[in-house]
């Protein structure tokens, strides 16, 4: 079954075509990130306008790569650079080889989501193909199933760690998911972003930069100076909002003076990264043990973090549990995993029953 999926939940516009939930046939993506870096945060109106600008070129690009026609660049499309020749190529698109469409309906920014959902509905009508609504957070979990040479065994414990969410979900099977715990306040990605900003590393998404800074620290001589919130708590809930205040205290001039100057920022970055990863790994492996799972799945932007990947793998192996994480390009937002989630656990719905829902939780049905 071949599914064309559209993802427009935030500042990425993406379209992908995936066979049987696992084989990526085409993928294209445009992002408005650089605009939000200038303003130091996302301006929903700006993101939505960029979605409108990019949606047609991105869909066209995915379709053109699918049909083996020339594509500008299958991974990144700049709408202003789209070759007019591609419009002619569209006439030869073999849409008869597409079985269904899928689209992210939430969570995300309402103005951005509407662009993708309405485009998907229009294509569904024009091509007479069923449309499958997808929860973006479930999508992050399914990034693990794409082009994965290892078989994912159930039951599995999934950790969804993105800029807006941190959730632990038990998958007994594709259609049997249970919420186990998650953050009570800030998401792990938000903790990375806010502390990266405090350290002067970035104004918008700082996770990668903070992680790169941390990599420059050889030994963490301030280990344990930041809290590992709720790590000893019996529940599987987490809390990351206090971390920012604790980091602020750490970067106060008198405290910084106590740390050798050149090492100050990398050391603090390393301690932030270790604090977040310690909590995520401890909660996930404890949940994995309690529910006797055979696999651990990481998903979401923060699953790109190399310390999280390596520490989770190390701890998982101690318990003979296979730890899976997506390739880097499938950690952050894209449409490939939306198609995969649609294939494994989605159901088509009549177009007038498909709605945008900006505040969907990971367990909410769509
Ligand atoms: O899943 P995603 O692309 O967007 C949301 O759905 O939220 O996740 C973005 C988040 C941001 O907070 C970003 O800083 C974080 O993922 N992130 C990372 C890394 N790469 C992205 N955090 C830590 N280490 C990384 N290497
Ligand atoms: Zn996401």
């Amino acid at each position: 079954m071949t599914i064309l999926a559209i993802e427009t939940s935030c500042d990425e516009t993406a379209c992908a075509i995936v066979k049987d939930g696992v084989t990526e046939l085409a993928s294209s993506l445009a992002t408005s990130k650089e605009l939000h870096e200038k303003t130091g945060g996302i301006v929903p109106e700006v993101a939505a306008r960029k979605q409108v600008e990019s949606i047609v070129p991105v869909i066209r690009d995915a379709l053109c790569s699918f049909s083996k026609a020339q594509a500008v660049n299958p991974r990144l499309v700049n709408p202003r650079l789209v070759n007019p020749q591609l419009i002619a190529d569209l006439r030869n698109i073999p849409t008869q080889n597409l079985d269904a469409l899928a689209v992210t309906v939430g969570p995300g920014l309402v103005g951005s989501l509407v662009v993708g959902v309405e485009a998907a509905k229009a294509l569904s009508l024009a091509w007479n193909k069923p449309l499958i609504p997808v929860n973006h957070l479930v999508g992050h979990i399914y990034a693990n199933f794409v082009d994965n040479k290892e078989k994912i065994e159930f039951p599995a414990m999934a950790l969804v760690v993105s800029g807006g969410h941190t959730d632990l979900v038990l998958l007994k099977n594709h259609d049997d998911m249970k919420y186990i715990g998650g953050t009570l306040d800030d998401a792990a990605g938000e903790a990375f972003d806010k502390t990266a900003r405090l350290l002067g590393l970035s104004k918008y998404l700082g996770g990668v930069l903070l992680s790169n800074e941390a990599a420059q620290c050889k030994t963490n001589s301030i280990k344990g100076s930041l809290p590992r919130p709720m790590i000893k708590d019996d529940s599987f809930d987490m809390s990351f909002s206090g971390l920012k205040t604790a980091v602020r205290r750490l970067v106060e001039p008198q405290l910084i003076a106590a740390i050798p100057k050149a090492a100050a920022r990398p050391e603090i970055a390393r301690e932030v990264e270790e604090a977040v990863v310690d909590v995520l790994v401890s909660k996930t492996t404890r949940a994995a043990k309690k529910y006797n799972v055979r696999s651990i799945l990481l998903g979401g932007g923060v699953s790109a973090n190399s310390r999280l990947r390596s520490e989770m793998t190390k701890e998982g192996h101690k318990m003979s549990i296979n730890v899976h994480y997506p390739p880097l390009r499938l950690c952050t937002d894209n449409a490939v995993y939306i198609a995969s989630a649609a294939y494994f656990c989605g159901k088509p719905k009549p177009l007038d029953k498909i709605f945008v829902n900006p505040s969907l939780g990971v367990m909410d049905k769509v």
Side-chain angles (χ1 to χ4, degrees), residues 6-15 28-33 36 42 47 50-51 54-55 58 76 109 112 136 204-205 332-335 337:
I6 295 172
E7 150 67 42
T8 63
S9 62
C10 190
D11 53 4
E12 262 100 25
T13 315
C15 179
S28 82
L29 187 138
T31 179
S32 58
K33 261 194 180 75
H36 312 303
I42 196 149
K50 281 311 241 185
Q51 294 285 3
S54 304
I55 188 80
V58 163
L76 197 66
L109 303 170
S112 291
H136 177 87
Y204 181 41
L205 300 180
T332 42
D333 293 349
N334 66 84
Y337 59 65

Tab-separated table of all heavy atoms in Angstrom, residues 6-15 28-33 36 42 47 50-51 54-55 58 76 109 112 136 204-205 332-335 337:
chain	number	residue	atom	x	y	z
A	6	ILE	N	1.155	14.316	4.152
A	6	ILE	CA	1.463	15.750	4.251
A	6	ILE	C	1.588	16.114	5.723
A	6	ILE	O	0.772	15.703	6.542
A	6	ILE	CB	0.343	16.580	3.571
A	6	ILE	CG1	0.317	16.290	2.069
A	6	ILE	CG2	0.529	18.074	3.830
A	6	ILE	CD1	-0.860	16.902	1.339
A	7	GLU	N	2.634	16.891	6.039
A	7	GLU	CA	2.879	17.313	7.435
A	7	GLU	C	3.134	18.822	7.438
A	7	GLU	O	4.063	19.304	6.773
A	7	GLU	CB	4.100	16.534	7.971
A	7	GLU	CG	4.945	17.218	9.021
A	7	GLU	CD	4.259	17.435	10.359
A	7	GLU	OE1	3.559	16.525	10.821
A	7	GLU	OE2	4.424	18.532	10.932
A	8	THR	N	2.287	19.559	8.169
A	8	THR	CA	2.478	21.019	8.263
A	8	THR	C	2.172	21.503	9.684
A	8	THR	O	1.554	22.543	9.856
A	8	THR	CB	1.546	21.780	7.276
A	8	THR	OG1	0.176	21.520	7.653
A	8	THR	CG2	1.759	21.398	5.843
A	9	SER	N	2.603	20.746	10.713
A	9	SER	CA	2.134	21.101	12.055
A	9	SER	C	2.790	22.356	12.629
A	9	SER	O	2.210	23.019	13.479
A	9	SER	CB	2.336	19.929	13.016
A	9	SER	OG	3.704	19.630	13.131
A	10	CYS	N	3.984	22.699	12.157
A	10	CYS	CA	4.677	23.832	12.792
A	10	CYS	C	5.387	24.676	11.734
A	10	CYS	O	4.732	25.371	10.959
A	10	CYS	CB	5.626	23.295	13.850
A	10	CYS	SG	6.324	24.547	14.905
A	11	ASP	N	6.709	24.609	11.674
A	11	ASP	CA	7.433	25.453	10.725
A	11	ASP	C	8.053	24.666	9.575
A	11	ASP	O	8.848	25.190	8.819
A	11	ASP	CB	8.498	26.304	11.447
A	11	ASP	CG	9.427	25.474	12.307
A	11	ASP	OD1	9.296	24.229	12.293
A	11	ASP	OD2	10.271	26.056	12.998
A	12	GLU	N	7.681	23.376	9.467
A	12	GLU	CA	8.123	22.593	8.314
A	12	GLU	C	6.933	22.263	7.437
A	12	GLU	O	5.852	21.954	7.940
A	12	GLU	CB	8.766	21.271	8.768
A	12	GLU	CG	10.273	21.311	8.811
A	12	GLU	CD	10.805	21.509	10.203
A	12	GLU	OE1	10.096	21.160	11.147
A	12	GLU	OE2	11.930	22.053	10.320
A	13	THR	N	7.150	22.330	6.123
A	13	THR	CA	6.135	21.892	5.167
A	13	THR	C	6.717	20.652	4.524
A	13	THR	O	7.788	20.720	3.908
A	13	THR	CB	5.932	22.957	4.067
A	13	THR	OG1	5.852	24.235	4.683
A	13	THR	CG2	4.699	22.683	3.229
A	14	ALA	N	6.028	19.511	4.677
A	14	ALA	CA	6.645	18.274	4.181
A	14	ALA	C	5.634	17.381	3.488
A	14	ALA	O	4.448	17.368	3.826
A	14	ALA	CB	7.278	17.519	5.343
A	15	CYS	N	6.137	16.657	2.498
A	15	CYS	CA	5.316	15.681	1.783
A	15	CYS	C	6.202	14.455	1.519
A	15	CYS	O	7.380	14.601	1.187
A	15	CYS	CB	4.819	16.279	0.469
A	15	CYS	SG	3.808	15.133	-0.494
A	28	SER	N	9.958	15.341	0.472
A	28	SER	CA	10.442	16.702	0.248
A	28	SER	C	10.024	17.573	1.431
A	28	SER	O	9.047	17.280	2.123
A	28	SER	CB	9.943	17.249	-1.079
A	28	SER	OG	8.655	17.732	-0.947
A	29	LEU	N	10.797	18.627	1.645
A	29	LEU	CA	10.588	19.412	2.859
A	29	LEU	C	11.078	20.847	2.668
A	29	LEU	O	12.130	21.061	2.075
A	29	LEU	CB	11.381	18.740	3.986
A	29	LEU	CG	11.206	19.258	5.395
A	29	LEU	CD1	11.114	18.090	6.358
A	29	LEU	CD2	12.363	20.129	5.811
A	30	ALA	N	10.273	21.797	3.130
A	30	ALA	CA	10.713	23.199	3.182
A	30	ALA	C	10.560	23.660	4.624
A	30	ALA	O	9.688	23.180	5.340
A	30	ALA	CB	9.854	24.052	2.264
A	31	THR	N	11.416	24.554	5.061
A	31	THR	CA	11.309	25.014	6.455
A	31	THR	C	11.375	26.537	6.527
A	31	THR	O	12.001	27.175	5.679
A	31	THR	CB	12.423	24.381	7.327
A	31	THR	OG1	12.278	24.881	8.654
A	31	THR	CG2	13.817	24.670	6.822
A	32	SER	N	10.696	27.094	7.534
A	32	SER	CA	10.772	28.551	7.719
A	32	SER	C	11.572	28.875	8.992
A	32	SER	O	11.448	29.958	9.541
A	32	SER	CB	9.362	29.149	7.799
A	32	SER	OG	8.611	28.577	8.845
A	33	LYS	N	12.370	27.906	9.448
A	33	LYS	CA	13.146	28.060	10.700
A	33	LYS	C	13.966	29.341	10.753
A	33	LYS	O	14.010	30.016	11.773
A	33	LYS	CB	14.108	26.874	10.851
A	33	LYS	CG	13.564	25.838	11.762
A	33	LYS	CD	14.592	24.829	12.200
A	33	LYS	CE	13.926	23.849	13.120
A	33	LYS	NZ	13.076	22.882	12.462
A	36	HIS	N	12.216	32.322	12.058
A	36	HIS	CA	11.904	32.323	13.495
A	36	HIS	C	13.167	32.535	14.334
A	36	HIS	O	13.082	32.994	15.469
A	36	HIS	CB	11.192	31.025	13.870
A	36	HIS	CG	10.080	30.696	12.931
A	36	HIS	ND1	9.038	31.564	12.686
A	36	HIS	CD2	9.871	29.637	12.120
A	36	HIS	CE1	8.237	31.031	11.789
A	36	HIS	NE2	8.724	29.868	11.411
A	42	ILE	N	8.905	31.315	17.460
A	42	ILE	CA	8.014	31.161	16.311
A	42	ILE	C	6.878	32.184	16.353
A	42	ILE	O	6.284	32.414	17.401
A	42	ILE	CB	7.485	29.709	16.228
A	42	ILE	CG1	6.908	29.428	14.863
A	42	ILE	CG2	6.494	29.387	17.315
A	42	ILE	CD1	7.039	27.996	14.422
A	47	ALA	N	4.682	31.571	10.301
A	47	ALA	CA	4.803	30.140	9.958
A	47	ALA	C	3.675	29.729	9.005
A	47	ALA	O	3.915	29.033	8.011
A	47	ALA	CB	4.767	29.297	11.227
A	50	LYS	N	4.186	30.980	5.480
A	50	LYS	CA	5.216	30.196	4.781
A	50	LYS	C	4.662	28.842	4.358
A	50	LYS	O	5.034	28.310	3.309
A	50	LYS	CB	6.444	29.999	5.693
A	50	LYS	CG	7.359	31.189	5.760
A	50	LYS	CD	7.694	31.710	4.414
A	50	LYS	CE	9.099	31.712	3.989
A	50	LYS	NZ	9.330	32.344	2.684
A	51	GLN	N	3.771	28.286	5.172
A	51	GLN	CA	3.138	27.013	4.787
A	51	GLN	C	2.373	27.199	3.479
A	51	GLN	O	2.463	26.365	2.569
A	51	GLN	CB	2.149	26.543	5.874
A	51	GLN	CG	2.782	26.171	7.199
A	51	GLN	CD	3.505	24.830	7.156
A	51	GLN	OE1	3.593	24.190	6.117
A	51	GLN	NE2	4.042	24.424	8.280
A	54	SER	N	4.759	27.326	0.586
A	54	SER	CA	5.554	26.126	0.286
A	54	SER	C	4.740	24.888	-0.075
A	54	SER	O	5.289	23.955	-0.667
A	54	SER	CB	6.428	25.773	1.506
A	54	SER	OG	7.222	26.854	1.870
A	55	ILE	N	3.474	24.854	0.296
A	55	ILE	CA	2.747	23.584	0.215
A	55	ILE	C	2.698	23.008	-1.206
A	55	ILE	O	2.983	21.815	-1.408
A	55	ILE	CB	1.326	23.695	0.854
A	55	ILE	CG1	0.674	22.325	0.940
A	55	ILE	CG2	0.396	24.651	0.119
A	55	ILE	CD1	1.118	21.492	2.081
A	58	VAL	N	6.207	21.799	-2.490
A	58	VAL	CA	6.672	20.621	-1.751
A	58	VAL	C	5.926	19.362	-2.212
A	58	VAL	O	6.538	18.314	-2.448
A	58	VAL	CB	6.534	20.861	-0.217
A	58	VAL	CG1	6.593	19.553	0.554
A	58	VAL	CG2	7.635	21.794	0.266
A	76	LEU	N	15.167	19.094	0.192
A	76	LEU	CA	14.911	20.472	0.602
A	76	LEU	C	14.483	21.304	-0.599
A	76	LEU	O	15.196	21.396	-1.580
A	76	LEU	CB	16.192	21.052	1.210
A	76	LEU	CG	16.002	22.300	2.048
A	76	LEU	CD1	15.199	21.970	3.300
A	76	LEU	CD2	17.349	22.848	2.471
A	109	LEU	N	0.392	24.230	15.388
A	109	LEU	CA	-0.153	25.588	15.251
A	109	LEU	C	-1.352	25.536	14.315
A	109	LEU	O	-1.255	24.970	13.211
A	109	LEU	CB	0.905	26.525	14.665
A	109	LEU	CG	2.222	26.621	15.429
A	109	LEU	CD1	3.264	27.388	14.620
A	109	LEU	CD2	1.981	27.301	16.780
A	112	SER	N	-0.921	26.680	10.647
A	112	SER	CA	-0.049	25.796	9.871
A	112	SER	C	-0.772	24.495	9.537
A	112	SER	O	-0.743	24.016	8.391
A	112	SER	CB	1.221	25.475	10.665
A	112	SER	OG	2.036	26.604	10.794
A	136	HIS	N	0.364	13.714	15.089
A	136	HIS	CA	1.798	13.972	14.880
A	136	HIS	C	2.687	13.227	15.900
A	136	HIS	O	3.776	12.746	15.558
A	136	HIS	CB	2.017	15.490	14.995
A	136	HIS	CG	3.431	15.930	14.875
A	136	HIS	ND1	4.030	16.193	13.663
A	136	HIS	CD2	4.386	16.150	15.814
A	136	HIS	CE1	5.283	16.562	13.872
A	136	HIS	NE2	5.529	16.550	15.161
A	204	TYR	N	16.421	30.525	19.114
A	204	TYR	CA	15.223	29.731	18.814
A	204	TYR	C	15.463	28.286	19.229
A	204	TYR	O	15.551	27.994	20.403
A	204	TYR	CB	14.886	29.915	17.324
A	204	TYR	CG	13.659	29.191	16.842
A	204	TYR	CD1	12.501	29.133	17.613
A	204	TYR	CD2	13.641	28.573	15.594
A	204	TYR	CE1	11.375	28.464	17.162
A	204	TYR	CE2	12.507	27.915	15.131
A	204	TYR	CZ	11.388	27.857	15.921
A	204	TYR	OH	10.280	27.190	15.472
A	205	LEU	N	15.627	27.352	18.302
A	205	LEU	CA	15.816	25.953	18.686
A	205	LEU	C	17.292	25.698	18.994
A	205	LEU	O	18.133	25.801	18.115
A	205	LEU	CB	15.362	25.038	17.545
A	205	LEU	CG	13.894	25.172	17.152
A	205	LEU	CD1	13.558	24.229	16.018
A	205	LEU	CD2	12.973	24.918	18.333
A	332	THR	N	13.496	14.900	13.365
A	332	THR	CA	12.729	16.155	13.358
A	332	THR	C	11.580	16.045	12.352
A	332	THR	O	11.483	15.083	11.592
A	332	THR	CB	13.638	17.363	13.042
A	332	THR	OG1	14.506	16.971	11.994
A	332	THR	CG2	14.469	17.766	14.245
A	333	ASP	N	10.711	17.053	12.371
A	333	ASP	CA	9.440	16.940	11.654
A	333	ASP	C	9.593	16.693	10.149
A	333	ASP	O	10.373	17.364	9.470
A	333	ASP	CB	8.613	18.213	11.902
A	333	ASP	CG	8.192	18.299	13.362
A	333	ASP	OD1	8.370	17.299	14.085
A	333	ASP	OD2	7.692	19.353	13.759
A	334	ASN	N	8.854	15.707	9.658
A	334	ASN	CA	8.820	15.378	8.226
A	334	ASN	C	7.570	14.542	7.976
A	334	ASN	O	6.865	14.162	8.922
A	334	ASN	CB	10.088	14.607	7.826
A	334	ASN	CG	10.148	13.270	8.490
A	334	ASN	OD1	9.569	12.306	8.014
A	334	ASN	ND2	10.793	13.195	9.647
A	335	ALA	N	7.292	14.259	6.713
A	335	ALA	CA	6.039	13.560	6.391
A	335	ALA	C	6.221	12.049	6.269
A	335	ALA	O	5.237	11.313	6.190
A	335	ALA	CB	5.465	14.120	5.090
A	337	TYR	N	7.280	9.783	8.437
A	337	TYR	CA	6.709	9.001	9.548
A	337	TYR	C	5.191	9.182	9.655
A	337	TYR	O	4.518	8.356	10.277
A	337	TYR	CB	7.438	9.259	10.867
A	337	TYR	CG	7.468	10.684	11.379
A	337	TYR	CD1	6.313	11.348	11.755
A	337	TYR	CD2	8.678	11.347	11.542
A	337	TYR	CE1	6.350	12.637	12.258
A	337	TYR	CE2	8.738	12.630	12.055
A	337	TYR	CZ	7.564	13.274	12.412
A	337	TYR	OH	7.620	14.541	12.911
